[in-house]
């Protein structure tokens, strides 16, 4: 009976964690955090290089959110 209880509890906690981890709000928070990390500007970066960094960060954000790019 203890083994069944432990397996059931573990299953319940796993499902609860995955449901919370994959919620739209948490996905958005994770993607925004990744986007902000890519978005940090360096004073030594040229405008052309900065534009490429922004495009890449934007594409990665959309990909992270699961939004198809046209």
């Amino acid at each position: 009976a203890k083994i069944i209880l432990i397996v059931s509890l573990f299953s319940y906690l796993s499902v609860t964690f995955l449901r919370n981890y994959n919620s739209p709000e948490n996905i958005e928070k994770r993607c925004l955090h990744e986007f902000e990390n890519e978005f940090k500007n360096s004073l030594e970066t040229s405008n052309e290089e900065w534009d490429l960094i922004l495009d890449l960060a934007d594409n990665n954000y959309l990909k992270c959110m699961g939004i198809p790019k046209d």
Side-chain angles (χ1 to χ4, degrees):
K2 289 182 182 181
I3 293 174
I4 294 172
L5 179 66
I6 291 171
V7 170
S8 298
L9 181 61
F10 181 73
S11 297
Y12 173 76
L13 291 175
S14 297
V15 168
T16 303
F17 170 77
L18 289 174
R19 187 180 303 146
N20 185 39
Y21 184 78
N22 291 325
S23 71
E25 297 84 19
N26 286 334
I27 291 172
E28 184 177 2
K29 285 178 187 177
R30 287 193 306 272
C31 292
L32 279 175
H33 181 69
E34 288 179 30
F35 179 76
E36 288 171 353
N37 287 341
E38 293 177 357
F39 189 68
K40 293 182 180 168
N41 189 359
S42 170
L43 295 176
E44 301 162 358
T45 306
S46 68
N47 284 339
E48 293 82 18
E49 188 178 357
W50 184 238
D51 287 340
L52 291 174
I53 291 170
L54 285 177
D55 287 341
L56 181 61
D58 188 46
N59 289 339
N60 288 342
Y61 176 75
L62 293 175
K63 184 177 176 184
C64 179
M65 289 295 293
I67 300 171
K69 184 180 174 192
D70 295 335

